[in-house]
Amino acid sequence: MNKFVYADNAATTKIHPLVVEAMIPVLSDTYGNPSSIYGIGRHAKTFLDNARNIIASAINANPDEIIFNSGGTEGDNAVIRGIAKANAHKGKHIISTKIEHHAILHTLDVLKKDGFEITLLDVDSEGFVTAKALEQAIRPDTILVSVMTANNEIGSIQPIAELGAICRLHKIPFHTDCVQAVGHIPIDVAAMNIDLLSLSAHKFGGPKGVGALYVRRGIRVPSYLTGGGQERSRRSGTENTAGIVGMAKALEIAVDELESERTRLSKMRDRLIDGLLKIPYSRLTGSRDNRLPGNASFCFEAIEGESLVLMLDMFGIAASSGSACSSGSLDPSHVLMAIGLPHEIAHGSLRLSLGRDNTEEDIDYILETMPTVVDRLREMSPVWEDMNRKDANNV
Amino acid sequence: MYSDKVFDHFAHPRNMGEIENADGVGTVGNQKCGDIMKIYLKVDENEVITDVKFKTFGCGAAVATSSMATELVKGKSIKEALALTNTAVVEALDGLPPAKLHCSVLAEEAIKSALADYYTRRGIDPTPIIGCSGNCSCCGHDHDPAHEHIHNEEK
């Protein structure tokens, strides 16, 4: 019996069976180009319109405020580059945070080369931005604020409504990379004062390669993919009809079951956290409150994250780490650095993220397996050897 | 990403452990970089490495390269062990992804560091025999282009 526990839903999620079911007729039969004027084209267009309505209603937006695209990275790029370009005559200052996804940070780096000034707000030791910090960073030449709704590594959920309200006061467009949050916690762009929002289907049970950007009426994101004029000329390219239909179905299901899933996952996550914190020299990263329902992230001293992930894989558990080795650079995750963890501790990070298919048995198995894995790696570790020697000497 | 040999050495590391009363012990790397390797050596009167053990804090490649390095020097003379190169370690593992080549460099250095310690304990200056086998502030002090490339990226 080869047990397999998928605990990396923050990386991507399994497509819901009903989503596959919804996509197949589009792939097989309704293959028309939605811009075509004959029947099979119009039929495809109807699918798009329905999908647009569903996505809009899931975040309390208007359908005409939704632009379909290839995912979160495209949405983030479109907003950062587009708003910067469109408003450069008014100012060249952009505010974001130290814990954003690379789709935001690396895009901001590109803007720096074009003379934009970027302020990255600090976060506290649990990964939260404060309204006060934002208020203090705003300048007369600030043209955009971008703060992610929930962090992908440590699950911290930001006070988006409060931050949005400050931006509204200063008449600065407020964008949120909502990729990890949509479908998992309630999102209401009106109540949360959000002007722009990125979302991605494969984080909530939909297919990969498709997402949407919400742009409030009155905000201008210049057209960045020019061509046939799709998405009201804001983002040309023949639509990924099947993907979009799948995305809408996935979001519909996610929103429908949001409260019950949130409750179910939070309980399992908390049991996981309580259990794993019993391992000596372990700590939770992020906070216990205001945390994504499925996200549990830790650091284990004296061992390294990639080897932790590889060994868990040997036991059939899929998870991820913010360690340098697993990121391909020599620095551990920028998020763990931003919350003030020293390098040595940050290298031993592990992220478990639960989703719809995880069960209590999965949690049991992880709790059973982790101590063995940590022990095996510590047995191999010269750092652990030193720690024990120090402890023995201190007795 | 990793060859079967790397996975094998990771899952079943050879010569993992400590040696009490070792004749030479060397540690390279540091926690800031996320890679530390420690080598213990037992050397007989004929300068043959009769036993070697390793401990590693690091990724899959770090474990595999240190494990393989111990296999390659066990039972060999000091002279043969000194000739061990990181390239030999990588080849023995059927290759490593480019980003992980520096682990093999660290493994070579760890062996050299333990050998240097062996000489130092006997009152012999290791530098003319081994060359620079020290341990700089980051992942080992060396002149390997693969390793320097990584350091330059870090800047």
Side-chain angles (χ1 to χ4, degrees):
Chain A
M1 178 199 77
N2 283 326
K3 184 116 177 111
F4 174 56
V5 172
Y6 183 74
D8 202 20
N9 287 278
T12 194
T13 59
K14 184 171 180 209
I15 301 186
H16 194 290
L18 290 178
V19 168
V20 179
E21 217 178 272
M23 288 173 69
I24 289 181
V26 184
L27 290 168
S28 315
D29 306 318
T30 316
Y31 55 84
N33 187 319
S35 301
S36 301
I37 62 174
Y38 41 73
I40 196 178
R42 295 196 309 271
H43 195 177
K45 173 109 191 348
T46 318
F47 276 132
L48 284 192
D49 292 342
N50 288 340
R52 201 182 303 277
N53 291 337
I54 292 170
I55 308 273
S57 124
I59 59 174
N60 194 22
N62 295 301
D64 61 2
E65 295 174 318
I66 302 296
I67 304 174
F68 293 128
N69 60 24
S70 64
T73 299
E74 185 182 326
D76 287 352
N77 268 263
V79 169
I80 302 289
R81 292 172 192 259
I83 298 281
K85 188 167 171 207
N87 295 282
H89 59 284
K90 290 194 216 155
K92 291 185 106 175
H93 179 238
I94 298 176
I95 300 171
S96 189
T97 80
K98 289 213 161 81
I99 62 168
E100 298 297 308
H101 188 273
H102 283 142
I104 295 285
L105 294 177
H106 290 171
T107 311
L108 289 172
D109 283 340
V110 173
L111 289 188
K112 268 196 235 171
K113 300 200 175 111
D114 289 335
F116 285 85
E117 270 179 69
I118 315 294
T119 297
L120 294 181
L121 299 175
D122 285 317
V123 293
D124 65 21
S125 62
E126 291 186 323
F128 296 111
V129 168
T130 62
K132 186 166 168 205
L134 174 59
E135 184 72 68
Q136 285 174 345
I138 289 177
R139 299 170 3 185
D141 62 333
T142 305
I143 53 168
L144 174 67
V145 172
S146 178
V147 177
M148 69 194 323
T149 305
N151 182 267
N152 50 308
E153 295 192 34
I154 59 178
S156 316
I157 302 172
Q158 304 302 334
I160 294 294
E162 220 186 321
L163 301 172
I166 294 172
C167 293
R168 197 52 64 78
L169 204 64
H170 292 270
K171 298 194 174 38
I172 301 168
F174 179 55
H175 166 253
T176 185
D177 175 333
C178 208
V179 166
Q180 291 287 331
V182 168
H184 306 293
I185 60 175
I187 302 295
D188 180 332
V189 295
M192 291 162 82
N193 304 307
I194 297 170
D195 296 316
L196 302 131
L197 177 150
S198 314
L199 67 91
S200 179
H202 77 101
K203 304 290 192 183
F204 50 78
K208 294 173 187 47
V210 62
L213 178 64
Y214 154 76
V215 181
R216 175 182 295 279
R217 277 180 198 154
I219 307 269
R220 200 189 132 231
V221 174
S223 149
Y224 60 93
L225 270 185
T226 44
Q230 288 84 354
E231 297 304 288
R232 292 160 32 167
S233 292
R234 291 177 296 181
R235 196 266 187 195
S236 289
T238 303
E239 301 90 340
N240 175 2
T241 316
I244 289 164
V245 164
M247 170 167 61
K249 187 70 188 166
L251 192 49
E252 190 178 61
I253 297 170
V255 167
D256 233 20
E257 302 178 359
L258 197 145
E259 285 311 327
S260 62
E261 268 302 279
R262 207 177 169 193
T263 308
R264 190 184 75 95
L265 290 178
S266 310
K267 262 177 63 197
M268 292 197 312
R269 171 204 65 194
D270 290 343
R271 187 158 80 87
L272 193 55
I273 294 175
D274 290 337
L276 291 184
L277 287 181
K278 293 200 179 104
I279 295 174
Y281 298 98
S282 65
R283 71 181 76 184
L284 181 73
T285 49
S287 94
R288 290 213 68 154
D289 311 303
N290 294 319
R291 190 184 190 102
L292 285 172
N295 180 304
S297 59
F298 307 85
C299 281
F300 298 94
E301 284 185 54
I303 60 180
E304 187 275 333
E306 192 209 90
S307 53
L308 189 41
V309 170
L310 281 180
M311 199 165 281
L312 283 172
D313 180 38
M314 282 162 49
F315 285 85
I317 298 169
S320 71
S321 168
S323 86
C325 294
S326 54
S327 77
S329 81
L330 276 175
D331 285 319
S333 127
H334 62 285
V335 176
L336 297 180
M337 301 280 87
I339 61 173
L341 282 181
H343 274 71
E344 310 82 79
I345 310 274
H347 281 305
S349 68
L350 180 73
R351 177 188 70 184
L352 296 156
S353 44
L354 308 170
R356 152 183 310 280
D357 285 337
N358 292 119
T359 61
E360 294 287 355
E361 286 72 36
D362 289 347
I363 305 297
D364 292 338
Y365 183 63
I366 297 174
L367 290 177
E368 230 168 75
T369 308
M370 272 294 293
T372 306
V373 168
V374 172
D375 280 347
R376 260 172 83 160
L377 290 169
R378 282 180 171 165
E379 213 186 8
M380 241 197 290
S381 163
V383 180
W384 186 247
E385 194 187 303
D386 285 345
M387 278 172 72
N388 281 333
R389 196 172 304 128
K390 286 204 187 95
D391 280 349
N393 288 337
N394 286 336
V395 165
Chain B
M1 175 173 90
Y2 285 144
S3 71
D4 286 344
K5 286 226 174 101
V6 171
F7 277 121
D8 180 42
H9 275 260
F10 177 74
H12 310 286
R14 311 342 187 214
N15 307 309
M16 192 277 286
E18 302 167 39
I19 298 177
E20 257 185 69
N21 304 319
D23 297 311
V25 180
T27 306
V28 296
N30 65 55
Q31 264 190 291
K32 204 161 187 284
C33 285
D35 263 324
I36 304 180
M37 296 180 189
K38 187 169 184 179
I39 298 283
Y40 299 81
L41 295 173
K42 203 91 187 113
V43 183
D44 71 9
E45 62 277 1
N46 296 319
E47 293 215 322
V48 170
I49 297 170
T50 52
D51 199 12
V52 54
K53 293 258 189 264
F54 84 92
K55 285 234 174 149
T56 291
F57 165 95
C59 62
V63 173
T65 51
S66 40
S67 165
M68 179 56 85
T70 63
E71 278 219 298
L72 292 175
V73 302
K74 189 168 185 177
K76 299 271 168 49
S77 68
I78 289 188
K79 192 162 174 235
E80 287 169 302
L82 280 171
L84 177 72
T85 61
N86 69 302
T87 320
V89 175
V90 174
E91 265 174 38
L93 286 170
D94 290 342
L96 279 179
K100 299 292 188 181
L101 286 175
H102 73 281
C103 295
S104 68
V105 174
L106 206 62
E108 179 194 325
E109 290 179 359
I111 299 285
K112 291 197 156 85
S113 177
L115 288 167
D117 183 51
Y118 165 81
Y119 281 117
T120 308
R121 289 183 191 210
R122 300 170 106 71
I124 305 168
D125 177 12
T127 321
I129 310 170
I130 294 175
C132 312
S133 70
N135 186 14
C136 80
S137 64
C138 195
C139 301
H141 161 84
D142 93 334
H143 317 284
D144 187 290
H147 201 213
E148 270 173 11
H149 170 66
I150 302 291
H151 278 282
N152 288 336
E153 264 177 13
E154 206 189 12
K155 279 149 200 158

PDB file of all heavy atoms in Angstrom, chain A residues 197-224:
ATOM      1  N   LEU A 197      -7.685  43.342  -8.531  1.00  0.00           N
ATOM      2  CA  LEU A 197      -7.483  42.068  -7.850  1.00  0.00           C
ATOM      3  C   LEU A 197      -7.043  40.996  -8.845  1.00  0.00           C
ATOM      4  O   LEU A 197      -7.652  40.859  -9.914  1.00  0.00           O
ATOM      5  CB  LEU A 197      -8.789  41.664  -7.151  1.00  0.00           C
ATOM      6  CG  LEU A 197      -8.859  40.320  -6.421  1.00  0.00           C
ATOM      7  CD1 LEU A 197      -9.847  40.397  -5.251  1.00  0.00           C
ATOM      8  CD2 LEU A 197      -9.274  39.195  -7.356  1.00  0.00           C
ATOM      9  N   SER A 198      -6.014  40.237  -8.476  1.00  0.00           N
ATOM     10  CA  SER A 198      -5.562  39.117  -9.322  1.00  0.00           C
ATOM     11  C   SER A 198      -6.027  37.805  -8.708  1.00  0.00           C
ATOM     12  O   SER A 198      -5.935  37.621  -7.488  1.00  0.00           O
ATOM     13  CB  SER A 198      -4.033  39.051  -9.382  1.00  0.00           C
ATOM     14  OG  SER A 198      -3.465  40.314  -9.596  1.00  0.00           O
ATOM     15  N   LEU A 199      -6.513  36.918  -9.570  1.00  0.00           N
ATOM     16  CA  LEU A 199      -6.863  35.585  -9.095  1.00  0.00           C
ATOM     17  C   LEU A 199      -6.450  34.531 -10.116  1.00  0.00           C
ATOM     18  O   LEU A 199      -6.247  34.847 -11.295  1.00  0.00           O
ATOM     19  CB  LEU A 199      -8.361  35.487  -8.769  1.00  0.00           C
ATOM     20  CG  LEU A 199      -9.381  35.591  -9.892  1.00  0.00           C
ATOM     21  CD1 LEU A 199      -9.732  34.235 -10.469  1.00  0.00           C
ATOM     22  CD2 LEU A 199     -10.650  36.251  -9.358  1.00  0.00           C
ATOM     23  N   SER A 200      -6.301  33.301  -9.652  1.00  0.00           N
ATOM     24  CA  SER A 200      -5.786  32.232 -10.511  1.00  0.00           C
ATOM     25  C   SER A 200      -6.524  30.927 -10.266  1.00  0.00           C
ATOM     26  O   SER A 200      -6.628  30.476  -9.122  1.00  0.00           O
ATOM     27  CB  SER A 200      -4.293  32.048 -10.216  1.00  0.00           C
ATOM     28  OG  SER A 200      -3.764  31.022 -11.010  1.00  0.00           O
ATOM     29  N   ALA A 201      -7.025  30.307 -11.322  1.00  0.00           N
ATOM     30  CA  ALA A 201      -7.903  29.146 -11.179  1.00  0.00           C
ATOM     31  C   ALA A 201      -7.265  27.946 -10.483  1.00  0.00           C
ATOM     32  O   ALA A 201      -7.943  27.249  -9.709  1.00  0.00           O
ATOM     33  CB  ALA A 201      -8.409  28.705 -12.559  1.00  0.00           C
ATOM     34  N   HIS A 202      -5.989  27.714 -10.731  1.00  0.00           N
ATOM     35  CA  HIS A 202      -5.430  26.447 -10.237  1.00  0.00           C
ATOM     36  C   HIS A 202      -5.192  26.452  -8.725  1.00  0.00           C
ATOM     37  O   HIS A 202      -4.779  25.444  -8.154  1.00  0.00           O
ATOM     38  CB  HIS A 202      -4.165  26.064 -11.001  1.00  0.00           C
ATOM     39  CG  HIS A 202      -2.933  26.825 -10.619  1.00  0.00           C
ATOM     40  ND1 HIS A 202      -1.966  26.299  -9.793  1.00  0.00           N
ATOM     41  CD2 HIS A 202      -2.507  28.066 -10.957  1.00  0.00           C
ATOM     42  CE1 HIS A 202      -0.999  27.178  -9.634  1.00  0.00           C
ATOM     43  NE2 HIS A 202      -1.294  28.271 -10.330  1.00  0.00           N
ATOM     44  N   LYS A 203      -5.504  27.561  -8.065  1.00  0.00           N
ATOM     45  CA  LYS A 203      -5.384  27.587  -6.611  1.00  0.00           C
ATOM     46  C   LYS A 203      -6.701  27.240  -5.929  1.00  0.00           C
ATOM     47  O   LYS A 203      -6.741  27.130  -4.698  1.00  0.00           O
ATOM     48  CB  LYS A 203      -4.933  28.967  -6.124  1.00  0.00           C
ATOM     49  CG  LYS A 203      -3.643  29.447  -6.749  1.00  0.00           C
ATOM     50  CD  LYS A 203      -2.415  28.684  -6.291  1.00  0.00           C
ATOM     51  CE  LYS A 203      -1.163  29.430  -6.729  1.00  0.00           C
ATOM     52  NZ  LYS A 203       0.073  28.781  -6.409  1.00  0.00           N
ATOM     53  N   PHE A 204      -7.778  27.084  -6.714  1.00  0.00           N
ATOM     54  CA  PHE A 204      -9.048  26.736  -6.083  1.00  0.00           C
ATOM     55  C   PHE A 204      -9.786  25.632  -6.844  1.00  0.00           C
ATOM     56  O   PHE A 204     -10.998  25.669  -6.999  1.00  0.00           O
ATOM     57  CB  PHE A 204      -9.948  27.962  -5.856  1.00  0.00           C
ATOM     58  CG  PHE A 204     -10.159  28.857  -7.062  1.00  0.00           C
ATOM     59  CD1 PHE A 204     -11.052  28.511  -8.078  1.00  0.00           C
ATOM     60  CD2 PHE A 204      -9.499  30.076  -7.163  1.00  0.00           C
ATOM     61  CE1 PHE A 204     -11.268  29.354  -9.177  1.00  0.00           C
ATOM     62  CE2 PHE A 204      -9.705  30.927  -8.250  1.00  0.00           C
ATOM     63  CZ  PHE A 204     -10.592  30.558  -9.261  1.00  0.00           C
ATOM     64  N   GLY A 205      -9.038  24.665  -7.316  1.00  0.00           N
ATOM     65  CA  GLY A 205      -9.674  23.499  -7.928  1.00  0.00           C
ATOM     66  C   GLY A 205      -9.945  23.638  -9.417  1.00  0.00           C
ATOM     67  O   GLY A 205     -10.643  22.803 -10.000  1.00  0.00           O
ATOM     68  N   GLY A 206      -9.423  24.699 -10.016  1.00  0.00           N
ATOM     69  CA  GLY A 206      -9.610  24.885 -11.450  1.00  0.00           C
ATOM     70  C   GLY A 206      -8.359  24.488 -12.217  1.00  0.00           C
ATOM     71  O   GLY A 206      -7.360  24.081 -11.619  1.00  0.00           O
ATOM     72  N   PRO A 207      -8.397  24.615 -13.537  1.00  0.00           N
ATOM     73  CA  PRO A 207      -7.237  24.218 -14.342  1.00  0.00           C
ATOM     74  C   PRO A 207      -6.114  25.259 -14.284  1.00  0.00           C
ATOM     75  O   PRO A 207      -6.339  26.415 -13.929  1.00  0.00           O
ATOM     76  CB  PRO A 207      -7.811  24.139 -15.759  1.00  0.00           C
ATOM     77  CG  PRO A 207      -8.997  25.033 -15.758  1.00  0.00           C
ATOM     78  CD  PRO A 207      -9.523  25.083 -14.353  1.00  0.00           C
ATOM     79  N   LYS A 208      -4.898  24.817 -14.669  1.00  0.00           N
ATOM     80  CA  LYS A 208      -3.775  25.746 -14.669  1.00  0.00           C
ATOM     81  C   LYS A 208      -3.792  26.561 -15.953  1.00  0.00           C
ATOM     82  O   LYS A 208      -4.327  26.150 -16.963  1.00  0.00           O
ATOM     83  CB  LYS A 208      -2.469  24.954 -14.584  1.00  0.00           C
ATOM     84  CG  LYS A 208      -2.341  24.216 -13.246  1.00  0.00           C
ATOM     85  CD  LYS A 208      -1.139  23.309 -13.237  1.00  0.00           C
ATOM     86  CE  LYS A 208      -1.075  22.424 -11.997  1.00  0.00           C
ATOM     87  NZ  LYS A 208      -2.316  21.738 -11.632  1.00  0.00           N
ATOM     88  N   GLY A 209      -3.198  27.739 -15.899  1.00  0.00           N
ATOM     89  CA  GLY A 209      -3.058  28.546 -17.110  1.00  0.00           C
ATOM     90  C   GLY A 209      -4.210  29.489 -17.372  1.00  0.00           C
ATOM     91  O   GLY A 209      -4.321  30.036 -18.461  1.00  0.00           O
ATOM     92  N   VAL A 210      -5.065  29.692 -16.380  1.00  0.00           N
ATOM     93  CA  VAL A 210      -6.183  30.619 -16.567  1.00  0.00           C
ATOM     94  C   VAL A 210      -6.477  31.343 -15.260  1.00  0.00           C
ATOM     95  O   VAL A 210      -6.343  30.778 -14.172  1.00  0.00           O
ATOM     96  CB  VAL A 210      -7.433  29.881 -17.103  1.00  0.00           C
ATOM     97  CG1 VAL A 210      -7.925  28.817 -16.128  1.00  0.00           C
ATOM     98  CG2 VAL A 210      -8.556  30.845 -17.424  1.00  0.00           C
ATOM     99  N   GLY A 211      -6.814  32.609 -15.387  1.00  0.00           N
ATOM    100  CA  GLY A 211      -7.140  33.405 -14.212  1.00  0.00           C
ATOM    101  C   GLY A 211      -7.961  34.600 -14.625  1.00  0.00           C
ATOM    102  O   GLY A 211      -8.469  34.659 -15.753  1.00  0.00           O
ATOM    103  N   ALA A 212      -8.074  35.552 -13.719  1.00  0.00           N
ATOM    104  CA  ALA A 212      -8.828  36.761 -14.040  1.00  0.00           C
ATOM    105  C   ALA A 212      -8.277  37.935 -13.269  1.00  0.00           C
ATOM    106  O   ALA A 212      -7.684  37.777 -12.201  1.00  0.00           O
ATOM    107  CB  ALA A 212     -10.311  36.571 -13.720  1.00  0.00           C
ATOM    108  N   LEU A 213      -8.469  39.105 -13.868  1.00  0.00           N
ATOM    109  CA  LEU A 213      -8.087  40.353 -13.214  1.00  0.00           C
ATOM    110  C   LEU A 213      -9.355  41.162 -13.030  1.00  0.00           C
ATOM    111  O   LEU A 213     -10.132  41.347 -13.972  1.00  0.00           O
ATOM    112  CB  LEU A 213      -7.093  41.110 -14.097  1.00  0.00           C
ATOM    113  CG  LEU A 213      -6.621  42.476 -13.584  1.00  0.00           C
ATOM    114  CD1 LEU A 213      -5.838  42.311 -12.273  1.00  0.00           C
ATOM    115  CD2 LEU A 213      -5.753  43.162 -14.628  1.00  0.00           C
ATOM    116  N   TYR A 214      -9.574  41.647 -11.814  1.00  0.00           N
ATOM    117  CA  TYR A 214     -10.705  42.532 -11.547  1.00  0.00           C
ATOM    118  C   TYR A 214     -10.183  43.962 -11.598  1.00  0.00           C
ATOM    119  O   TYR A 214      -9.173  44.285 -10.957  1.00  0.00           O
ATOM    120  CB  TYR A 214     -11.307  42.210 -10.171  1.00  0.00           C
ATOM    121  CG  TYR A 214     -12.027  43.386  -9.538  1.00  0.00           C
ATOM    122  CD1 TYR A 214     -13.295  43.771  -9.971  1.00  0.00           C
ATOM    123  CD2 TYR A 214     -11.419  44.129  -8.525  1.00  0.00           C
ATOM    124  CE1 TYR A 214     -13.938  44.865  -9.408  1.00  0.00           C
ATOM    125  CE2 TYR A 214     -12.061  45.218  -7.956  1.00  0.00           C
ATOM    126  CZ  TYR A 214     -13.317  45.580  -8.410  1.00  0.00           C
ATOM    127  OH  TYR A 214     -13.938  46.669  -7.846  1.00  0.00           O
ATOM    128  N   VAL A 215     -10.845  44.804 -12.397  1.00  0.00           N
ATOM    129  CA  VAL A 215     -10.466  46.217 -12.484  1.00  0.00           C
ATOM    130  C   VAL A 215     -11.721  47.051 -12.273  1.00  0.00           C
ATOM    131  O   VAL A 215     -12.643  47.023 -13.104  1.00  0.00           O
ATOM    132  CB  VAL A 215      -9.863  46.564 -13.869  1.00  0.00           C
ATOM    133  CG1 VAL A 215      -9.454  48.039 -13.933  1.00  0.00           C
ATOM    134  CG2 VAL A 215      -8.680  45.663 -14.190  1.00  0.00           C
ATOM    135  N   ARG A 216     -11.738  47.776 -11.178  1.00  0.00           N
ATOM    136  CA  ARG A 216     -12.931  48.576 -10.849  1.00  0.00           C
ATOM    137  C   ARG A 216     -13.212  49.584 -11.963  1.00  0.00           C
ATOM    138  O   ARG A 216     -12.283  50.172 -12.542  1.00  0.00           O
ATOM    139  CB  ARG A 216     -12.689  49.311  -9.526  1.00  0.00           C
ATOM    140  CG  ARG A 216     -13.809  50.270  -9.121  1.00  0.00           C
ATOM    141  CD  ARG A 216     -13.453  50.987  -7.821  1.00  0.00           C
ATOM    142  NE  ARG A 216     -13.377  50.036  -6.712  1.00  0.00           N
ATOM    143  CZ  ARG A 216     -14.445  49.585  -6.054  1.00  0.00           C
ATOM    144  NH1 ARG A 216     -15.658  49.988  -6.389  1.00  0.00           N
ATOM    145  NH2 ARG A 216     -14.290  48.731  -5.077  1.00  0.00           N
ATOM    146  N   ARG A 217     -14.497  49.786 -12.232  1.00  0.00           N
ATOM    147  CA  ARG A 217     -14.905  50.806 -13.225  1.00  0.00           C
ATOM    148  C   ARG A 217     -14.261  52.116 -12.833  1.00  0.00           C
ATOM    149  O   ARG A 217     -14.307  52.527 -11.670  1.00  0.00           O
ATOM    150  CB  ARG A 217     -16.423  51.008 -13.178  1.00  0.00           C
ATOM    151  CG  ARG A 217     -17.196  50.018 -13.966  1.00  0.00           C
ATOM    152  CD  ARG A 217     -18.683  50.333 -13.837  1.00  0.00           C
ATOM    153  NE  ARG A 217     -19.489  49.194 -14.209  1.00  0.00           N
ATOM    154  CZ  ARG A 217     -20.715  48.942 -13.767  1.00  0.00           C
ATOM    155  NH1 ARG A 217     -21.286  49.764 -12.908  1.00  0.00           N
ATOM    156  NH2 ARG A 217     -21.371  47.876 -14.182  1.00  0.00           N
ATOM    157  N   GLY A 218     -13.674  52.766 -13.800  1.00  0.00           N
ATOM    158  CA  GLY A 218     -13.056  54.064 -13.540  1.00  0.00           C
ATOM    159  C   GLY A 218     -11.544  53.970 -13.409  1.00  0.00           C
ATOM    160  O   GLY A 218     -10.838  54.957 -13.559  1.00  0.00           O
ATOM    161  N   ILE A 219     -11.049  52.771 -13.132  1.00  0.00           N
ATOM    162  CA  ILE A 219      -9.587  52.598 -13.068  1.00  0.00           C
ATOM    163  C   ILE A 219      -9.119  52.159 -14.442  1.00  0.00           C
ATOM    164  O   ILE A 219      -9.776  51.338 -15.091  1.00  0.00           O
ATOM    165  CB  ILE A 219      -9.202  51.501 -12.052  1.00  0.00           C
ATOM    166  CG1 ILE A 219      -9.830  51.755 -10.685  1.00  0.00           C
ATOM    167  CG2 ILE A 219      -7.686  51.359 -11.974  1.00  0.00           C
ATOM    168  CD1 ILE A 219      -9.004  52.570  -9.732  1.00  0.00           C
ATOM    169  N   ARG A 220      -8.012  52.696 -14.868  1.00  0.00           N
ATOM    170  CA  ARG A 220      -7.556  52.364 -16.222  1.00  0.00           C
ATOM    171  C   ARG A 220      -6.279  51.523 -16.184  1.00  0.00           C
ATOM    172  O   ARG A 220      -5.252  51.963 -15.683  1.00  0.00           O
ATOM    173  CB  ARG A 220      -7.302  53.658 -16.999  1.00  0.00           C
ATOM    174  CG  ARG A 220      -7.313  53.440 -18.508  1.00  0.00           C
ATOM    175  CD  ARG A 220      -6.831  54.683 -19.263  1.00  0.00           C
ATOM    176  NE  ARG A 220      -5.830  54.298 -20.255  1.00  0.00           N
ATOM    177  CZ  ARG A 220      -4.638  54.858 -20.391  1.00  0.00           C
ATOM    178  NH1 ARG A 220      -4.267  55.841 -19.600  1.00  0.00           N
ATOM    179  NH2 ARG A 220      -3.791  54.443 -21.314  1.00  0.00           N
ATOM    180  N   VAL A 221      -6.402  50.305 -16.692  1.00  0.00           N
ATOM    181  CA  VAL A 221      -5.199  49.507 -16.928  1.00  0.00           C
ATOM    182  C   VAL A 221      -5.034  49.465 -18.448  1.00  0.00           C
ATOM    183  O   VAL A 221      -5.884  48.906 -19.135  1.00  0.00           O
ATOM    184  CB  VAL A 221      -5.334  48.078 -16.364  1.00  0.00           C
ATOM    185  CG1 VAL A 221      -4.132  47.225 -16.747  1.00  0.00           C
ATOM    186  CG2 VAL A 221      -5.487  48.105 -14.853  1.00  0.00           C
ATOM    187  N   PRO A 222      -3.980  50.079 -18.966  1.00  0.00           N
ATOM    188  CA  PRO A 222      -3.843  50.132 -20.423  1.00  0.00           C
ATOM    189  C   PRO A 222      -3.829  48.738 -21.033  1.00  0.00           C
ATOM    190  O   PRO A 222      -3.396  47.764 -20.394  1.00  0.00           O
ATOM    191  CB  PRO A 222      -2.493  50.810 -20.644  1.00  0.00           C
ATOM    192  CG  PRO A 222      -2.086  51.363 -19.344  1.00  0.00           C
ATOM    193  CD  PRO A 222      -2.857  50.677 -18.275  1.00  0.00           C
ATOM    194  N   SER A 223      -4.284  48.662 -22.259  1.00  0.00           N
ATOM    195  CA  SER A 223      -4.301  47.397 -22.961  1.00  0.00           C
ATOM    196  C   SER A 223      -2.859  46.902 -23.136  1.00  0.00           C
ATOM    197  O   SER A 223      -2.004  47.629 -23.621  1.00  0.00           O
ATOM    198  CB  SER A 223      -4.965  47.615 -24.315  1.00  0.00           C
ATOM    199  OG  SER A 223      -4.441  46.750 -25.257  1.00  0.00           O
ATOM    200  N   TYR A 224      -2.568  45.707 -22.699  1.00  0.00           N
ATOM    201  CA  TYR A 224      -1.181  45.247 -22.737  1.00  0.00           C
ATOM    202  C   TYR A 224      -0.962  44.101 -23.712  1.00  0.00           C
ATOM    203  O   TYR A 224       0.146  43.733 -24.031  1.00  0.00           O
ATOM    204  CB  TYR A 224      -0.689  44.859 -21.334  1.00  0.00           C
ATOM    205  CG  TYR A 224      -1.485  43.759 -20.690  1.00  0.00           C
ATOM    206  CD1 TYR A 224      -1.104  42.430 -20.817  1.00  0.00           C
ATOM    207  CD2 TYR A 224      -2.635  44.047 -19.964  1.00  0.00           C
ATOM    208  CE1 TYR A 224      -1.836  41.417 -20.241  1.00  0.00           C
ATOM    209  CE2 TYR A 224      -3.384  43.026 -19.381  1.00  0.00           C
ATOM    210  CZ  TYR A 224      -2.976  41.719 -19.524  1.00  0.00           C
ATOM    211  OH  TYR A 224      -3.706  40.716 -18.953  1.00  0.00           O
TER     212      TYR A 224
END
